[in-house]
Amino acid sequence: MVVEQINPDSYKRIVFFTGAGMSAESGVPTYRGKGGILDKYNWQEVASQEAWEKHPKKVLKFHEKRRTEGLKCKPHSGHKVIADLEKFHPNVWIVTQNIDGMHQQAGSKKVVELHGSVWRVRCPKEGRVWEDSKKTKYSRQKCKCGSWLRPDIVWFSDYLDTKVTDKADEVISRADLFISIGTSGLVWPAAGYPARAKSAGAFLVEINPEPSEQSNYYDKVYPGKAGEVMPQLFGVK
Ligand code: OAD
């Protein structure tokens, strides 16, 4: 596969739109496909409001396991390319569906987390959110009001936070370069973002070993892995 190098200076506003495949080479499982989480777990049983109300301890145990596994994972060269680019380019944003905090671990600061983060907790009663120490167990945490704290993430059937989607809309509607990495493009509203970037006039690049639902929107499609294509795309040795 020949990867045409991108000169970031030719673009004013760059958006990286990432999904689970971005973290796959770091060791974080994807949702769908081979080894995907959805093959092993019934999502409604461990990550939905209904499950939380029925058996909160089971839900917390599932997310605790994911955090523990996540602690063993480290960002790869693809995450680092984006984080380094943000240091010298004034307008680089990440809009991610990932909840693993891997972009921030690599050093990225301008990250819009559409589906929240396992590294934050939320009081379901008061709605307050705060950063959580990586070692603390969810199941041992209660808010001052007495409620068990839940991970600050979007579960099946949850609405997305409109402040977060407004920010994503704002950065995408101004993008002139939109690079999608590792998403199947099946989950809304994120699935509509490539079309939005296209209508805003951005140049669209997709990196994914498999075709996605939106592959036809992209100006360039690289059927490869994030950690391999990203350094080539930005000429990093
Ligand atoms: P998926 O698991 O649906 O898709 C992962 C994508 O990554 C697939 O298209 C793979 O082909 C691709 N992929 C795998 N390895 C890769 C690699 N090394 N480099 C690049 N791409 C690779 O994950 P998402 O599209 O992120 O939502 O899923 C979207 C949402 O579905 C998640 O955020 C989650 C889930 O329901 C919530 O939890 C609300």
Side-chain angles (χ1 to χ4, degrees):
M1 175 180 46
V2 179
V3 178
E4 274 175 45
Q5 207 175 310
I6 282 180
N7 177 4
D9 295 334
S10 307
Y11 297 93
K12 286 200 172 72
R13 287 172 286 269
I14 305 175
V15 172
F16 292 93
F17 170 55
T18 64
M22 180 78 216
S23 298
E25 289 151 273
S26 294
V28 181
T30 57
Y31 292 90
R32 299 167 184 85
K34 201 168 160 251
I37 297 170
L38 298 181
D39 273 354
K40 289 192 203 125
Y41 293 94
N42 177 348
W43 210 236
Q44 279 74 14
E45 279 288 303
V46 289
S48 68
Q49 185 61 29
E50 205 185 340
W52 171 250
E53 282 162 20
K54 210 160 74 189
H55 41 240
K57 280 197 179 153
K58 185 175 173 186
V59 171
L60 291 176
K61 203 171 159 197
F62 167 75
H63 292 292
E64 218 160 76
K65 186 165 184 282
R66 297 196 63 202
R67 280 215 308 192
T68 315
E69 285 167 359
L71 282 173
K72 295 179 202 145
C73 302
K74 295 275 164 273
H76 59 69
S77 52
H79 293 104
K80 292 194 181 109
V81 168
I82 304 177
D84 287 345
L85 195 58
E86 191 188 311
K87 287 184 195 141
F88 74 85
H89 191 290
N91 217 324
V92 171
W93 279 89
I94 296 168
V95 175
T96 188
Q97 297 165 88
N98 299 343
I99 57 176
D100 56 22
M102 209 59 74
H103 285 298
Q104 290 90 335
Q105 220 191 109
S108 291
K109 303 263 186 271
K110 289 189 269 190
V111 186
V112 181
E113 292 177 308
L114 290 170
H115 297 161
S117 169
V118 288
W119 303 116
R120 290 191 302 268
V121 283
R122 189 196 315 161
C123 169
K125 205 163 160 193
E126 299 176 342
R128 282 193 304 128
V129 171
W130 59 95
E131 298 291 324
D132 190 25
S133 135
K134 295 190 176 188
K135 302 277 180 315
T136 317
K137 289 199 160 195
Y138 290 129
S139 50
R140 297 206 189 118
Q141 296 187 73
K142 269 190 176 179
C143 179
K144 281 184 197 146
C145 75
S147 303
W148 290 110
L149 298 178
R150 55 163 286 175
D152 183 34
I153 59 176
V154 172
W155 284 331
F156 268 77
S157 72
D158 280 358
Y159 289 108
L160 271 64
D161 182 340
T162 50
K163 281 201 258 11
V164 177
T165 50
D166 285 352
K167 187 69 197 172
D169 286 345
E170 181 200 317
V171 299
I172 291 167
S173 61
R174 291 187 188 158
D176 54 2
L177 176 61
F178 178 93
I179 301 179
S180 164
I181 311 168
T183 178
S184 55
L186 290 165
V187 174
W188 291 79
Y193 290 165
R196 190 161 308 170
K198 188 89 184 162
S199 62
F203 184 73
L204 269 65
V205 178
E206 178 175 60
I207 302 171
N208 193 324
E210 307 288 334
S212 75
E213 282 294 302
Q214 280 85 30
S215 289
N216 56 320
Y217 280 111
Y218 291 86
D219 299 296
K220 279 269 170 204
V221 174
Y222 293 114
K225 293 182 176 178
E228 292 166 8
V229 178
M230 280 294 286
Q232 292 180 61
L233 196 60
F234 288 93
V236 178
K237 293 266 176 333

